[in-house]
Amino acid sequence: MVVCGDDALAHRLAAELRDVYGERVTLVVPSAREPHRPRIPPPARALDRATALLGRVSAAVARTSPVPSEVPGDGPEPPEETVRILEAAQPDDLALTEAGIAEAGALALVYDDDELNIHAALRARRLNPRLRLVIRLYNRKLGQHLEELLDQAAAVAALDGGGDAVDADASTTVLSDADTVAPALVATAVAGTSKVIEADGLLLRAVERPPVPPGRPGDPGLCTLALLPASANDPDQEPSSGSGEEGLMLLPDEAAVTDGAGCGTVVLETVSYTGRPVRPARLRGRGAPLASLFSRRLRWSLAGVVGAVLALAVASWLTTGLDPVHGAYLTLLDLFAINDPALGQPLPRKILQLLSGLTGLLLLPVLVAAAFEGLGTFRSASALRRPPRGLSGHVVLLGLGKVGTRVLARLHEMGIPVVCIEADPEARGIALARRLRVPTVLGDVTQEGVLEAALIERAASLLALSSADTTNLEAALYARSVTPRLRVTLRLFDDRFATAVYRTLRAAHPRALTRSRSTSFLAAPAFGGAMMGRQILGAIPVERRVLLVARVEVRGNAALEGRTVAEVLRPGRLRVLAVDTAAPDDPEAPAAAAAPPPDAEREPARLVHELGDGYVLRPQDRVLLVATRQGLGDLHARQPRATGTGAGGRATGAGARQG
């Protein structure tokens, strides 16, 4: 694997590939000696770093003294020197060639400059058409066009060279660090954890659970990923270096889970929001809601005038004996002062005409006020909305930059109430907040009264995602002084500073939940999974092994197509979690036509317990599964694959390397 970058994401990604997937990595950086760059930990800490990616899934792992050659995984053990650092000012042809791009399986271009990443991608595709490319870009549309261009260039180069077609899994993947970290930050606001994997609209997290006492029913979650050995359940027992695998059972079946009722388990859960959702506007997309056109006092005034007109019409009908419709017509004429005076008419008719004229005088200022209020409402329809007075249990989002904009979109999609704070009125996310009519406070959060305007005292959590560490810290400290138990998530760049802040806030507020994360820390797993193959969505370390969460197309896969969910199950190797059934039920439709565009809103995949084990997988379905490397390799071995040399032979990523 080759990683090229100039910021913390490159270092995080190299450590992710080495520690979790056991890959040999060449890291190309402008300088390896800058003090503000995070250092890649030595191999002796590989196990601890891998465990930290998705949480502490086993107490025994943290207590084990790791050996340099021992890394999580069920494949072959890599050599000790698994990261080679190469200094190069630019990722030109010379630097890429020296990094071994011709023999590499994948290349990640994670420079902070989009143009530099595009230029390097074009060079790399020319040097190695079968190379799996992972590119960091913020622009979604540009990324989609770039994927198509580079994939087409790879296909043409392969055909011109007389070889077979390039495997689809060895093609181009464009990711945005802002998009990849948004699910983790949203999960922090919802469930207090950022250790999640996003898959087909679902947020999944691995949780370790202690043994359940006999007689008590246990909660299996979405599924049981592993049964832990007895040493993991005893905090006083130190497992030896060779006993980490004894008693560990990955992806057990129902019978094994029942027999191992006294063991600790690692289960997979879905993360969802259970609070009060946002109520959508009744006239959304067609202007302002009716309730905001006129104030409450004006609406009551209009209702009073209408009631008086109806009462006068009924009185005219009863006293004069006229037809009800004709009586109402005369009442309206008197109301607008366009009727003849009731000279020579009976006394009741004269009194009703005077009352109707008086009501018309009262109606005139009400109509003028309604016109001004309606005009003001439509003029301010494009303005930012203020937080409503009765709002509570919401998320306060500080910062509407690249990351904050993506987080705001995800929170709104999940129906989570949010109030934004932004100091720059021209920030990237202001337009999105205005379009979604999300309450937004414009002001410097360090100034007094800004957090109070966002109703921080009634908020459920604070996401401080501005680009300034000191601003995020100051907002968190002030919010803690107002609401001591507020759930706080900080975006901090410096690792040591983030650790110190986390420990201090945890010591000062032990009952409150505090998280300090950097964008590179949260984005590295997604980029690492993309380098292992487009189908790999994430990895879950369990003891000294790793489970892969993957998305696989059913069409053309003999192990999936036409089989039930129960038939696909391979205890110890593979389990289906969910099925995406959003594609139309047309067996003749090609897979490319059935796939929606990237920006289209998709329904979340349906979980297995919703479909049942007897559900027959259709060709247009996509399955979300968790598997070991060997299980994923067995799954791909049953479908026809293009053969070739170089990176094409590694198209399945981790699945091709069977232990």
Side-chain angles (χ1 to χ4, degrees), residues 445-535:
V445 73
T446 60
Q447 300 296 325
E448 186 177 357
V450 175
L451 279 175
E452 285 81 356
L455 306 179
I456 191 64
E457 67 276 2
R458 295 203 298 266
S461 61
L462 169 66
L463 291 176
L465 307 180
S466 70
S467 57
D469 289 1
T470 55
T471 300
N472 295 334
L473 178 59
E474 185 173 352
L477 293 177
Y478 184 76
R480 275 276 190 264
S481 65
V482 176
T483 308
R485 295 195 179 186
L486 181 69
R487 181 182 299 157
V488 174
T489 300
L490 300 175
R491 176 189 176 188
L492 301 176
F493 176 79
D494 187 79
D495 290 338
R496 291 176 295 180
F497 181 54
T499 302
V501 168
Y502 168 71
R503 291 176 178 175
T504 304
L505 289 178
R506 184 181 61 179
H509 303 278
R511 296 186 179 182
L513 186 61
T514 305
R515 292 290 182 266
S516 55
R517 292 290 184 265
S518 64
T519 302
S520 61
F521 180 89
L522 298 176
F527 281 83
M531 291 190 70
M532 299 305 300
R534 181 173 291 183
Q535 297 172 333

Side-chain angles (χ1 to χ4, degrees), residues 124-457:
R125 181 58 77 203
R126 175 174 51 84
L127 295 174
N128 187 351
R130 294 186 176 275
L131 183 70
R132 185 184 306 123
L133 286 177
V134 179
I135 310 172
R136 174 186 181 182
L137 287 181
Y138 182 79
N139 192 322
R140 291 179 177 178
K141 293 183 179 180
L142 177 60
Q144 181 181 358
H145 296 318
L146 185 63
E147 282 186 358
E148 297 174 356
L149 174 64
L150 293 176
D151 289 346
Q152 183 177 0
V156 172
L159 294 178
D160 292 344
D164 298 327
V166 178
D167 198 304
D169 195 44
S171 57
T172 308
T173 303
V174 176
L175 296 176
S176 167
D177 51 347
D179 284 330
T180 54
V181 304
L185 294 172
V186 170
T188 305
V190 173
T193 178
S194 59
K195 305 174 183 68
V196 298
I197 294 176
E198 183 192 20
D200 291 338
L202 300 173
L203 294 178
L204 308 175
R205 64 172 177 178
V207 180
E208 180 190 359
R209 292 183 176 173
V212 179
R216 291 187 181 181
D219 184 9
L222 183 59
C223 74
T224 301
L225 296 178
L227 296 177
L228 298 178
S231 60
N233 305 323
D234 186 3
D236 299 327
Q237 184 175 354
E238 288 282 349
S240 62
S241 60
S243 61
E245 299 291 336
E246 295 180 3
L248 176 65
M249 182 179 299
L250 296 179
L251 301 177
D253 54 12
E254 298 298 332
V257 173
T258 303
D259 296 338
C263 300
T265 58
V266 178
V267 300
L268 197 65
E269 294 180 343
T270 57
V271 178
S272 60
Y273 177 67
T274 58
R276 180 184 302 175
V278 177
R279 292 182 297 179
R282 286 172 289 179
L283 295 181
R284 181 181 176 185
R286 301 182 181 181
L290 286 178
S292 63
L293 282 175
F294 310 112
S295 63
R296 182 184 300 271
R297 182 178 300 177
L298 183 59
R299 293 198 302 268
W300 279 109
S301 300
L302 290 174
V305 171
V306 172
V309 172
L310 293 177
L312 291 173
V314 173
S316 177
W317 167 50
L318 295 177
T319 57
T320 61
L322 298 176
D323 184 75
V325 178
H326 186 62
Y329 175 69
L330 292 179
T331 301
L332 292 177
L333 292 179
D334 295 333
L335 181 71
F336 297 116
I338 58 177
N339 196 10
D340 294 332
L343 300 177
Q345 297 291 333
L347 181 61
R349 175 74 183 91
K350 295 180 179 180
I351 296 176
L352 290 176
Q353 189 178 53
L354 293 175
L355 294 176
S356 299
L358 180 61
T359 305
L361 293 176
L362 298 176
L363 178 62
L364 180 60
V366 175
L367 293 178
V368 173
F372 277 106
E373 283 199 4
L375 179 61
T377 299
F378 282 110
R379 289 184 62 183
S380 61
S382 60
L384 293 173
R385 182 186 174 194
R386 300 291 297 177
R389 295 182 179 179
L391 184 63
S392 62
H394 57 285
V395 176
V396 177
L397 175 60
L398 171 60
L400 290 178
K402 294 194 303 182
V403 177
T405 302
R406 296 290 194 247
V407 173
L408 173 60
R410 292 302 304 269
L411 290 172
H412 188 269
E413 290 174 1
M414 298 180 65
I416 301 175
V418 58
V419 175
C420 302
I421 300 177
E422 176 57 52
D424 183 10
E426 302 297 330
R428 188 188 301 267
I430 291 294
L432 178 63
R434 182 181 293 112
R435 179 169 59 87
L436 299 179
R437 294 195 57 79
V438 175
T440 304
V441 178
L442 286 177
D444 188 356
V445 73
T446 60
Q447 300 296 325
E448 186 177 357
V450 175
L451 279 175
E452 285 81 356
L455 306 179
I456 191 64
E457 67 276 2

